[in-house]
């Protein structure tokens, strides 16, 4: 089983880092890929919704909380 580390952040945080607005239909909290320490590469990390993580299949999802 593969491991996927994600950081739970607000949509506003992603918009602040990326400089553009995410779709309104997205939930308030989203998940962004990070390393095992919780560090995010804001230049290329993908963003997921909770339903996308639930449907990942053969992945062990590790959710980190924003500090």
């Amino acid at each position: 089983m593969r491991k996927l580390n994600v950081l739970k952040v607000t949509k506003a945080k992603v918009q602040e880092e990326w400089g553009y607005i995410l779709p309104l239909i997205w939930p308030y909290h989203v998940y962004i890929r990070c390393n095992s320490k919780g560090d995010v590469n804001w230049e290329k990390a993908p963003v997921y919704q909770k339903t996308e993580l639930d449907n990942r299949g053969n992945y062990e999802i590790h959710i980190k909380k924003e500090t």
Side-chain angles (χ1 to χ4, degrees), residues 4 25-27 29-31 47-57 61 63:
L4 178 63
I25 61 170
W26 279 42
H29 283 101
V30 293
Y31 302 85
V47 173
Y48 305 99
Q49 295 180 33
K50 179 68 171 141
T51 55
E52 291 176 293
L53 293 177
D54 293 341
N55 295 327
R56 281 301 283 207
I61 308 295
I63 299 174

Side-chain angles (χ1 to χ4, degrees), residues 29-51:
H29 283 101
V30 293
Y31 302 85
I32 190 162
R33 186 174 286 175
C34 66
N35 64 16
S36 61
K37 296 176 185 174
D39 300 326
V40 176
N41 180 349
W42 290 101
E43 296 294 319
K44 63 180 183 176
V47 173
Y48 305 99
Q49 295 180 33
K50 179 68 171 141
T51 55

Side-chain angles (χ1 to χ4, degrees), residues 5-29:
N5 293 302
V6 293
L7 182 66
K8 183 177 181 179
V9 295
T10 63
K11 191 163 71 168
K13 174 69 174 172
V14 175
Q15 292 173 163
E16 175 187 317
E17 292 289 337
W18 284 1
Y20 64 87
I21 297 175
L22 294 176
L24 290 175
I25 61 170
W26 279 42
Y28 179 72
H29 283 101

